Amino acid sequence: MSEAILQVEDLHIWFDLDEGELHAVQGVSFELEPGERMGLVGESGCGKTTTILAVMGLLPANASVAGRVLFNGEDILEEGENTVAPHRWKDIAMVFQGAMNAFNPVKRIGDQIAEPMELHGTARGRQAKGRVGDLLELVGIPGSRADRYPHEFSGGMRQRAAIAMALACGPKILLADEPTTALDVMVQAQILELLVGLTEELGLALVFVTHDLPVVAQTCGRAAVMYAGRIAEEGATADLYHDARHPYTRLLFAATPDLHGKEKIISIPGSPPRLDRVITGCPFQPRCDRAFAPCPTVTPRTVSVAERHVAACHLNEVPAERLGGAGATGAR
Ligand code: SF4
C-alpha cells in the first residue's frame, strides 16, 4: 500500500473558452510522501498552476476535471466542493502566485491570517490572535506587526505573511506557486530557505511550482517536469540532473547559467504547442534536438527508466545501439 499523502491520478483538465476547448492538463499523475519536497517545473502555460488549483478545488467554473486527487487515500474531488472544501487550508494549503498582492489592502495582515482559522473553526478570538503572532514569528516577522496593513510590509515580508496565512490551520501539504517570483535575489534565497526550514520543522510536504529547475534541484528531493500539460519526466532531482531521460529536462538544465562559467548556455528554440489544438506525436518534437522517426506521429508512453524515475520519450524504448549514441541524456 502506498504511503503517499497526496496522489494525483491521470488528471485531465479542460477549459471551455469562447474560441473552443483547451485541454490544459493531459493525464498528469504523481505522488507526494509526507514531508517530501517536490518541484513541479515547466515553462509558462504548461499546466503546473492549473494542476495545483485542481488539487485545491479552486478551478474556475468553465473548467472540467477528470481523474482523481487522493489525500491520505480519500478522493477529495469525488463530489466536488463537498469533498474538497473540508481539506482546503486545513490539510492542503496554497501560497498563490503573486501572493504579495493577494492581501486585501484595507484589512490588517493579522486579521487576514486569522480568516482560515475562523473559517475552519480551528481557533477564534484571542486564541486566533495568539496563533497569528506565533505564525508571524515562525516566518521571521515580529508578532507585533500583525496589526499593520499590507502596504506597511516590504515585498519579502508580504510573501512571508502569505506563507504564514497558508500555515494558519496546520496543513500537512503546502502548494507554493512561484513563491519567489518578483522578489530580488537575496529575498528569493531567504524565502527558499524559509520554505525548506518549515518543511523540516513542521514535517510539511511541499509542492514547489516554478519554471526554475536548478532552484528545484537545490531545494527539492524530487521533481516532475511538465510540458504541454503532461509530465515529461519525474524522478529524484539528482537523477534528473545527472541522468536526464527526456531531452526537455536536459535542455532546461543546460539553459541555466553555470556559476563557474565553464559550460555554454543554450536556449531552447521555439515555444510550447497550443493546447487548444490536437497534438499529434510527441508535443516536444518541433523543439527537440534528438527527434527521430516515430516522434512526429506517435505519442510517447510514460515508462519507468529506473526506480521512482519515469519519462515520456521514445528514446527510452529504443536500444541505444539503434540510436547511434543519440540518447536522451546526450551531452550538456
Ligand atoms: Fe524528442 Fe522524440 Fe523524445 Fe519527444 S519522443 S522528446 S521528440 S526524442
Side-chain angles (χ1 to χ4, degrees):
M1 187 163 163
S2 171
E3 291 177 3
I5 190 169
L6 180 73
Q7 292 162 281
V8 174
E9 294 181 352
D10 197 22
L11 186 71
H12 287 260
I13 301 168
W14 298 264
F15 289 105
D16 188 11
L17 305 175
D18 290 344
E19 311 82 57
E21 195 171 70
L22 188 147
H23 196 174
V25 174
Q26 306 186 9
V28 162
S29 301
F30 64 85
E31 291 188 354
L32 187 69
E33 292 184 358
E36 188 174 41
R37 292 192 295 271
M38 192 187 94
L40 202 54
V41 190
E43 289 166 276
S44 296
C46 70
K48 49 196 194 303
T49 296
T50 305
T51 298
I52 59 166
L53 283 173
V55 172
M56 289 291 285
L58 290 176
L59 288 169
N62 67 339
S64 321
V65 180
R68 301 201 307 164
V69 173
L70 294 97
F71 173 76
N72 276 339
E74 177 195 346
D75 185 354
I76 60 174
L77 298 188
E78 192 173 21
E79 290 177 29
E81 185 66 7
N82 285 343
T83 43
V84 73
H87 297 283
R88 190 185 300 136
W89 304 121
K90 199 158 171 278
D91 296 315
I92 308 173
M94 182 166 171
V95 179
F96 292 93
Q97 196 170 10
M100 289 186 298
N101 301 317
F103 285 101
N104 184 332
V106 297
K107 283 184 80 174
R108 296 176 200 276
I109 287 278
D111 292 342
Q112 297 188 61
I113 294 174
E115 270 175 27
M117 294 184 238
E118 282 160 14
L119 184 74
H120 280 282
T122 55
R124 291 189 194 286
R126 188 180 294 182
Q127 194 191 3
K129 207 170 173 185
R131 172 119 176 96
V132 167
D134 292 345
L135 285 165
L136 286 174
E137 297 280 351
L138 184 67
V139 298
I141 298 173
S144 58
R145 304 205 67 167
D147 60 355
R148 300 292 179 90
Y149 290 91
H151 74 270
E152 297 178 276
F153 277 37
S154 67
M157 283 175 72
R158 264 179 280 172
Q159 187 60 290
R160 286 172 186 270
I163 294 169
M165 186 157 67
L167 298 178
C169 295
K172 320 287 181 303
I173 301 170
L174 185 64
L175 311 174
D177 190 5
E178 304 271 9
T180 58
T181 301
L183 297 173
D184 69 52
V185 177
M186 292 303 290
V187 180
Q188 277 185 22
Q190 290 166 6
I191 296 294
L192 289 173
E193 196 180 334
L194 172 66
L195 285 170
V196 170
L198 287 171
T199 57
E200 286 169 0
E201 194 176 335
L202 305 176
L204 265 176
L206 175 74
V207 177
F208 178 32
V209 172
T210 179
H211 60 276
D212 197 336
L213 184 53
V215 166
V216 164
Q218 289 164 26
T219 51
C220 299
R222 299 185 61 71
V225 177
M226 286 190 71
Y227 189 78
R230 310 169 193 193
I231 289 186
E233 183 164 8
E234 196 230 313
T237 46
D239 292 341
L240 299 192
Y241 183 75
H242 294 293
D243 186 24
R245 303 300 289 268
H246 194 290
Y248 183 52
T249 309
R250 174 178 51 79
L251 289 168
L252 278 181
F253 275 120
T256 306
D258 154 36
L259 191 63
H260 307 289
K262 286 183 186 154
E263 291 175 3
K264 194 171 159 222
I265 303 166
I266 60 139
S267 62
I268 306 175
S271 45
R274 290 179 57 162
L275 298 179
D276 57 349
R277 298 192 181 154
V278 175
I279 297 170
T280 305
C282 172
F284 190 57
Q285 181 268 324
R287 307 172 75 187
C288 184
D289 58 359
R290 297 278 192 278
F292 63 118
C295 304
T297 52
V298 182
T299 305
R301 297 184 307 142
T302 299
V303 295
S304 176
V305 293
E307 194 182 348
R308 294 198 76 198
H309 186 176
V310 297
C313 171
H314 290 306
L315 291 168
N316 296 302
E317 300 195 79
V318 177
E321 57 273 18
R322 279 184 53 200
L323 295 168
T329 304
R332 274 198 74 201

